[in-house]
Amino acid sequence: ERESRGDTCLTINVIEKDIDDLLGYFRKNRKEIRYFPVEGGDQKTADLANALSKVILEKSNFPMHQDLVFRDQVLAGLGSFNMRVETRNDVRGEIVVEAFPWRQVVFGPHVYPDASDCEYLVKYTMMSLDRVKKLYPDKADEVEGGYKEHEDEAVLVQNVTNYRDWE
């Protein structure tokens, strides 16, 4: 009846404050990632791992990405990090840790909540047809056939059977 009259609906978000409180608590009580020797392991190795991870995480602006992933976990129940080697500025490569959109991750069959027993993991990225053609110019004709327009964005609908062919 309300819709037929053209009345607007009032929505009161009663959980927003609780979510903000939870995110604030997480930020305020952030813990460093630490490595410890186990089963007679070497303390020097653990110290080296701690130092290396600290440098990598600082260069990656990890606290910001950690906040994004935690927010995704609170709101959607899923959150993902992506670790990659960036060679744009240094041919030897730099390890980068970043948040990855949870909607673009598919977990294979698993039982444990942390997915540590996951059979496989698929990460994908939505790209425009033009960008894919620039990345893979020798496959431009093949790619053209596997695309269709969907809500003003090109979506890849063709399965890539052997990703090594694309490298």
Side-chain angles (χ1 to χ4, degrees):
E1 181 183 334
R2 179 187 47 77
E3 289 178 2
S4 64
R5 292 192 316 255
D7 291 347
T8 58
C9 181
L10 175 63
T11 304
I12 300 173
N13 188 346
V14 294
I15 198 167
E16 183 177 24
K17 183 191 176 313
D18 294 335
I19 290 173
D20 289 344
D21 288 346
L22 185 59
L23 295 173
Y25 179 81
F26 177 76
R27 286 183 191 112
K28 194 173 187 179
N29 295 290
R30 188 181 318 274
K31 304 288 183 214
E32 270 189 17
I33 294 176
R34 301 270 311 153
Y35 296 91
F36 298 97
V38 292
E39 297 179 8
D42 187 5
Q43 182 63 46
K44 289 181 184 178
T45 304
D47 292 342
L48 180 61
N50 285 323
L52 287 173
S53 67
K54 186 171 184 160
V55 169
I56 291 167
L57 296 176
E58 282 176 2
K59 284 186 172 187
S60 296
N61 193 12
F62 185 69
M64 180 196 70
H65 292 285
Q66 190 179 32
D67 288 351
L68 293 171
V69 170
F70 184 73
R71 181 176 175 78
D72 285 348
Q73 289 172 325
V74 169
L75 296 176
L78 292 171
S80 297
F81 286 103
N82 184 42
M83 290 183 69
R84 61 185 174 81
V85 177
E86 177 62 61
T87 57
R88 221 177 307 173
N89 299 328
D90 185 350
V91 293
R92 294 172 297 175
E94 230 177 67
I95 298 172
V96 176
V97 181
E98 60 195 359
F100 194 83
W102 65 269
R103 285 188 175 104
Q104 294 175 314
V105 179
V106 178
F107 292 92
H110 61 282
V111 175
Y112 300 129
D114 67 355
S116 60
D117 63 334
C118 187
E119 290 182 27
Y120 59 86
L121 174 81
V122 177
K123 294 186 297 184
Y124 63 92
T125 302
M126 301 295 284
M127 294 183 196
S128 69
L129 180 56
D130 290 337
R131 181 167 179 215
V132 173
K133 284 181 178 181
K134 285 177 186 171
L135 287 171
Y136 307 103
D138 56 325
K139 300 285 186 178
D141 293 336
E142 259 183 78
V143 170
E144 184 84 46
Y147 266 79
K148 71 174 184 177
E149 292 299 318
H150 176 71
E151 298 178 358
D152 299 328
E153 285 194 51
V155 179
L156 183 63
V157 293
Q158 177 181 348
N159 288 331
V160 179
T161 54
N162 188 352
Y163 69 91
R164 287 179 185 86
D165 291 343
W166 289 67
E167 295 178 346

